[in-house]
Amino acid sequence: MALSLFSKNKNAVLARCRDDYATRIRLKYAPYYLAMDGQHGTHIRLDGKDLIMLASNDYLGLSFHPKVVEAAQHAARKWGTSTNGARISNGSRTFHLQLEEKLASFLGREACHVHAAGYLSCMSAIGSFAQKGDVIFADKNIHSCLWDGIRLSMATVERFSHNSPDDLRDVVATAQHPGPKFLVVEGVYSMEGHIARLPELTSIAEENDCFTVVDDAHGFGVLGRQGRGTVDHFGLNEQVHVVCGSLSKSLASTGGFVAGSREVIEYLRTNSKQTIFSAAISPGQAAAAQASLEVMQSEPEHLARLWANTAKYRAMLKELGLDTWGSETPAIPIVLGSKERVYSFWRTLLDRGVFTVMSIAPAVPAGKDLIRTAISAQHTDEQIERIGEAMAYALKRL
Ligand SMILES: Cc1ncc(COP(=O)(O)O)c(C=O)c1O
């Protein structure tokens, strides 16, 4: 009896997977998991065809920087390819501590902890601190890793309208709560390219005694002095208690960080399941991130070029009359409003040599189906012109 029940349940799970797979095949166009067969900077090859990458998060274009590549190679030769264990037990190395010190000092924080993925860092930036009985005020559009951190914490969540201090004020007022409170937002919203209205949001958080967490995966390297991020851009270090982010964007590596006061980070080190039960970031990844951090400070031209490219690209999109959802940063969506229009636009761009990423509901709000594009410091003027021509043609084909 027990055996047949198990079998029925197991078959139900298998049927769920089968249905999902069949749906994807029926939809024919499922342009995800496309494997590139070559890359150098913003040049990629897909199915043997040369394309311009217009969807990478390598904002500063450092992933092929000679100093960054050399640092990763050197670290692998010296330390091997993996730490093969968690920081708390057998995986900790002096290069982890060095990277953490450099990141903390760059961000104007006492301490920092590095995880093997940004997703893990941002989850633990909430999950390590919030508990059942606490309340978390979260922007409706935050990244999945922050939602997972919230779920993991078992705290009560109160959502407020995207980037709306007025709504946050209303939500806080109606959710009278005696226990610890948190504010969770992104510095730069990855899909929309919006900069968080941190001055107003943190002021409400302060009035209500909230612990504030900012995920700055897309602001780090892009905003603030030398790319110190959104919190630095607004001069709000005192008002934000924890900043988390990713090493896989401007830092041209893989991994993530959480930065804050010494006590807060020491608490995280012993309470973050994402570090206690997961292997440490590898030598090559840590070295690449540290080298990128050094390049960010010694070669300001990359940040300057990023913003010059962003201005040029944005002006071109405006001239074409495309809806960029009010993006203020190098992460620029092109809102097309339906999955058919998105697919047509995406496909024409691909045929014309430009690689972008589709994002359709429910990944974005209904009616906001879009193509996500991101400009990099490495795009050349000629590439931006070619992108413009491809977009003008794709628009005609819509
Ligand atoms: C806002 C935000 N936070 C965190 C992450 C996770 O970073 P990673 O890709 O390094 O795991 C991402 C990734 O896209 C992101 O966009």
Coordinates of all heavy atoms in Angstrom, one line a residue, residues 144-191:
S144 N 14.9 37.5 -7.1 CA 14.5 36.2 -6.6 C 15.4 35.8 -5.4 O 14.9 35.2 -4.4 CB 14.6 35.2 -7.7 OG 14.8 33.9 -7.3
C145 N 16.7 36.1 -5.4 CA 17.6 35.7 -4.3 C 17.1 36.4 -3.0 O 17.2 35.8 -1.9 CB 19.0 36.0 -4.6 SG 19.4 37.7 -5.0
L146 N 16.6 37.6 -3.1 CA 16.2 38.3 -1.9 C 14.9 37.7 -1.4 O 14.7 37.5 -0.2 CB 16.0 39.8 -2.2 CG 17.3 40.5 -2.6 CD1 17.0 41.9 -3.1 CD2 18.3 40.6 -1.5
W147 N 14.0 37.4 -2.3 CA 12.7 36.7 -1.9 C 13.1 35.4 -1.2 O 12.5 35.0 -0.2 CB 11.8 36.4 -3.1 CG 11.2 37.6 -3.7 CD1 11.3 38.1 -4.9 CD2 10.4 38.6 -3.0 NE1 10.6 39.2 -5.1 CE2 10.0 39.6 -3.9 CE3 9.9 38.7 -1.7 CZ2 9.2 40.7 -3.6 CZ3 9.1 39.9 -1.3 CH2 8.8 40.8 -2.3
D148 N 14.0 34.6 -1.7 CA 14.4 33.4 -1.1 C 15.0 33.6 0.3 O 14.7 32.8 1.2 CB 15.4 32.6 -2.0 CG 14.8 31.8 -3.1 OD1 13.5 31.8 -3.1 OD2 15.5 31.3 -3.9
G149 N 15.8 34.6 0.5 CA 16.3 35.0 1.8 C 15.2 35.3 2.8 O 15.2 34.9 3.9
I150 N 14.2 36.0 2.2 CA 13.0 36.4 3.1 C 12.3 35.1 3.5 O 11.9 35.0 4.7 CB 12.1 37.4 2.3 CG1 12.8 38.7 2.1 CG2 10.8 37.5 3.0 CD1 12.1 39.7 1.3
R151 N 12.0 34.3 2.5 CA 11.3 33.0 2.8 C 12.0 32.2 3.9 O 11.4 31.7 4.8 CB 11.1 32.2 1.5 CG 9.7 32.4 1.0 CD 9.6 31.5 -0.2 NE 9.0 32.3 -1.3 CZ 9.6 32.5 -2.5 NH1 10.8 31.9 -2.7 NH2 9.1 33.2 -3.4
L152 N 13.3 32.1 3.7 CA 14.2 31.3 4.5 C 14.1 31.8 6.0 O 14.1 31.1 7.0 CB 15.6 31.4 4.0 CG 16.6 30.5 4.6 CD1 16.4 29.1 4.1 CD2 18.0 30.9 4.3
S153 N 14.0 33.1 6.1 CA 14.0 33.8 7.5 C 12.7 33.5 8.2 O 12.7 33.6 9.4 CB 14.2 35.3 7.3 OG 13.0 35.9 6.9
M154 N 11.6 33.2 7.5 CA 10.3 33.0 8.1 C 9.7 34.2 8.7 O 8.8 34.2 9.5 CB 10.3 31.8 9.0 CG 10.6 30.5 8.3 SD 10.8 29.1 9.4 CE 9.1 28.8 9.9
A155 N 10.3 35.4 8.4 CA 9.7 36.7 8.9 C 8.5 37.0 8.0 O 8.3 36.4 7.0 CB 10.8 37.8 8.7
T156 N 7.7 37.9 8.6 CA 6.5 38.4 7.8 C 7.0 39.4 6.8 O 7.8 40.2 7.1 CB 5.5 39.1 8.8 OG1 5.2 38.2 9.8 CG2 4.3 39.5 8.1
V157 N 6.4 39.3 5.6 CA 6.8 40.2 4.5 C 5.7 41.2 4.2 O 4.6 40.7 4.0 CB 7.4 39.5 3.3 CG1 6.5 38.5 2.7 CG2 7.9 40.5 2.3
E158 N 6.0 42.4 4.0 CA 5.1 43.4 3.6 C 5.7 44.1 2.4 O 6.7 44.7 2.4 CB 4.9 44.5 4.7 CG 4.3 44.0 6.0 CD 2.8 43.7 5.9 OE1 2.2 44.0 4.9 OE2 2.3 43.1 6.9
R159 N 5.0 43.9 1.2 CA 5.6 44.5 -0.1 C 5.1 45.9 -0.3 O 3.9 46.2 0.0 CB 5.1 43.6 -1.3 CG 5.6 42.2 -1.3 CD 4.6 41.4 -2.1 NE 4.8 40.0 -1.6 CZ 5.3 39.0 -2.4 NH1 5.5 39.3 -3.7 NH2 5.4 37.8 -2.0
F160 N 5.9 46.7 -0.8 CA 5.5 48.1 -1.2 C 5.7 48.3 -2.7 O 6.6 47.6 -3.3 CB 6.1 49.2 -0.4 CG 7.6 49.3 -0.4 CD1 8.2 50.1 -1.3 CD2 8.4 48.5 0.4 CE1 9.6 50.2 -1.4 CE2 9.8 48.6 0.3 CZ 10.4 49.5 -0.6
S161 N 5.0 49.2 -3.3 CA 5.1 49.4 -4.8 C 6.5 49.8 -5.2 O 7.2 50.5 -4.4 CB 4.2 50.6 -5.2 OG 2.9 50.3 -4.8
H162 N 6.9 49.4 -6.3 CA 8.3 49.5 -6.8 C 8.8 50.9 -6.7 O 8.2 51.9 -7.2 CB 8.4 49.0 -8.2 CG 9.7 49.3 -8.8 ND1 10.9 48.8 -8.2 CD2 10.1 49.9 -9.9 CE1 11.9 49.2 -9.0 NE2 11.5 49.9 -10.0
N163 N 9.8 51.1 -5.9 CA 10.6 52.4 -5.7 C 9.7 53.5 -5.3 O 9.9 54.7 -5.7 CB 11.3 52.7 -7.1 CG 12.7 53.3 -6.9 OD1 13.1 53.4 -5.7 ND2 13.3 53.6 -7.9
S164 N 8.7 53.2 -4.5 CA 7.7 54.2 -4.1 C 7.8 54.5 -2.6 O 7.3 53.8 -1.7 CB 6.3 53.8 -4.4 OG 5.4 54.6 -3.8
P165 N 8.5 55.6 -2.2 CA 8.6 56.0 -0.8 C 7.2 56.2 -0.2 O 6.9 55.9 1.0 CB 9.4 57.3 -0.8 CG 10.2 57.2 -2.0 CD 9.3 56.5 -3.0
D166 N 6.2 56.8 -1.0 CA 4.9 57.1 -0.5 C 4.2 55.8 -0.1 O 3.6 55.7 1.0 CB 4.0 57.7 -1.6 CG 4.4 59.2 -1.8 OD1 5.2 59.7 -0.9 OD2 4.1 59.7 -2.8
D167 N 4.3 54.7 -0.9 CA 3.7 53.5 -0.6 C 4.4 52.8 0.6 O 3.8 52.2 1.5 CB 3.7 52.5 -1.8 CG 2.7 51.4 -1.6 OD1 1.6 51.7 -1.1 OD2 3.0 50.2 -1.9
L168 N 5.7 52.9 0.7 CA 6.4 52.3 1.8 C 5.9 53.0 3.1 O 5.6 52.3 4.1 CB 8.0 52.6 1.7 CG 8.8 52.2 2.9 CD1 8.7 50.7 3.2 CD2 10.3 52.6 2.8
R169 N 5.7 54.3 3.1 CA 5.3 55.0 4.3 C 3.9 54.4 4.7 O 3.7 54.2 5.9 CB 5.2 56.5 4.0 CG 5.2 57.4 5.2 CD 5.1 58.8 4.8 NE 6.4 59.4 4.4 CZ 7.4 59.6 5.2 NH1 7.4 59.3 6.5 NH2 8.5 60.1 4.7
D170 N 3.0 54.3 3.7 CA 1.7 53.7 4.0 C 1.7 52.3 4.6 O 1.1 52.0 5.5 CB 0.8 53.7 2.7 CG 0.4 55.1 2.3 OD1 0.6 56.0 3.1 OD2 -0.1 55.2 1.2
V171 N 2.6 51.5 3.9 CA 2.7 50.1 4.3 C 3.2 50.0 5.7 O 2.7 49.2 6.6 CB 3.5 49.3 3.3 CG1 3.8 47.9 3.9 CG2 2.8 49.2 2.0
V172 N 4.2 50.8 6.0 CA 4.8 50.8 7.4 C 3.8 51.2 8.4 O 3.7 50.7 9.5 CB 6.1 51.7 7.4 CG1 6.6 51.8 8.8 CG2 7.2 51.1 6.5
A173 N 3.0 52.2 8.0 CA 2.1 52.8 9.0 C 1.0 51.8 9.3 O 0.5 51.7 10.5 CB 1.4 54.0 8.4
T174 N 0.6 51.0 8.3 CA -0.5 50.0 8.6 C 0.0 48.7 9.3 O -0.7 48.0 9.9 CB -1.3 49.6 7.3 OG1 -0.4 49.3 6.3 CG2 -2.3 50.7 6.9
A175 N 1.3 48.5 9.1 CA 1.9 47.2 9.7 C 2.5 47.5 11.0 O 3.7 47.2 11.2 CB 2.9 46.6 8.7
Q176 N 1.8 48.1 11.9 CA 2.3 48.4 13.3 C 2.9 47.1 13.9 O 2.2 46.1 13.9 CB 1.3 49.0 14.1 CG 1.0 50.4 13.9 CD 2.2 51.3 13.9 OE1 3.1 51.0 14.6 NE2 2.3 52.3 13.0
H177 N 4.1 47.1 14.2 CA 4.8 45.8 14.7 C 5.8 46.2 15.7 O 6.7 47.0 15.5 CB 5.4 45.2 13.4 CG 5.9 43.9 13.6 ND1 7.2 43.6 14.1 CD2 5.3 42.7 13.5 CE1 7.4 42.3 14.1 NE2 6.2 41.7 13.8
P178 N 5.8 45.5 16.8 CA 6.7 45.8 17.9 C 8.1 45.3 17.7 O 9.1 45.8 18.2 CB 6.1 45.1 19.2 CG 5.2 44.0 18.6 CD 4.8 44.4 17.2
G179 N 8.2 44.2 16.9 CA 9.5 43.5 16.8 C 10.5 44.1 15.8 O 10.2 45.2 15.2
P180 N 11.6 43.5 15.6 CA 12.6 44.0 14.6 C 12.0 44.2 13.2 O 11.2 43.3 12.8 CB 13.7 43.0 14.6 CG 13.6 42.4 16.0 CD 12.1 42.3 16.3
K181 N 12.4 45.3 12.5 CA 11.9 45.5 11.2 C 13.1 45.7 10.2 O 14.1 46.1 10.6 CB 11.1 46.8 11.2 CG 9.9 46.9 12.1 CD 9.2 48.2 11.9 CE 8.5 48.7 13.0 NZ 9.2 49.1 14.2
F182 N 12.8 45.3 9.0 CA 13.9 45.4 7.9 C 13.3 46.2 6.7 O 12.1 46.1 6.4 CB 14.3 44.0 7.4 CG 15.0 43.2 8.4 CD1 14.4 42.6 9.5 CD2 16.4 42.9 8.2 CE1 15.1 41.8 10.4 CE2 17.1 42.2 9.1 CZ 16.4 41.6 10.2
L183 N 14.2 46.8 6.0 CA 13.9 47.4 4.7 C 14.8 46.7 3.7 O 16.0 46.6 3.9 CB 14.1 48.9 4.6 CG 14.0 49.5 3.2 CD1 12.6 49.4 2.7 CD2 14.6 50.9 3.2
V184 N 14.2 46.1 2.7 CA 15.1 45.4 1.7 C 14.8 45.9 0.3 O 13.6 45.9 -0.2 CB 14.8 43.8 1.7 CG1 15.5 43.1 0.6 CG2 15.1 43.2 3.0
V185 N 15.8 46.5 -0.4 CA 15.7 47.0 -1.7 C 16.9 46.7 -2.5 O 17.9 46.2 -2.0 CB 15.5 48.6 -1.7 CG1 14.2 49.0 -1.0 CG2 16.7 49.3 -1.0
E186 N 16.8 46.9 -3.8 CA 18.0 46.9 -4.7 C 18.6 48.3 -4.8 O 17.8 49.2 -4.8 CB 17.7 46.3 -6.0 CG 17.5 44.8 -6.0 CD 17.1 44.1 -7.3 OE1 17.6 44.6 -8.3 OE2 16.4 43.2 -7.3
G187 N 19.9 48.4 -5.1 CA 20.5 49.7 -5.4 C 20.1 50.1 -6.8 O 19.5 51.2 -7.0
V188 N 20.4 49.2 -7.8 CA 19.9 49.4 -9.2 C 19.1 48.2 -9.5 O 19.6 47.1 -9.3 CB 21.1 49.6 -10.1 CG1 20.7 49.5 -11.6 CG2 21.9 50.9 -9.9
Y189 N 17.9 48.4 -10.0 CA 17.1 47.2 -10.4 C 17.5 46.6 -11.7 O 17.6 47.3 -12.7 CB 15.6 47.7 -10.4 CG 15.1 47.8 -8.9 CD1 15.4 49.0 -8.2 CD2 14.5 46.8 -8.3 CE1 15.1 49.1 -6.9 CE2 14.2 46.9 -6.9 CZ 14.5 48.1 -6.3 OH 14.1 48.2 -4.9
S190 N 17.8 45.3 -11.6 CA 18.5 44.6 -12.7 C 17.7 44.6 -14.0 O 18.3 44.7 -15.0 CB 18.8 43.2 -12.3 OG 17.6 42.5 -11.9
M191 N 16.4 44.5 -13.9 CA 15.6 44.4 -15.1 C 15.2 45.8 -15.6 O 15.3 46.1 -16.8 CB 14.3 43.6 -14.8 CG 13.7 42.9 -15.9 SD 14.8 41.8 -16.8 CE 14.6 40.3 -15.9

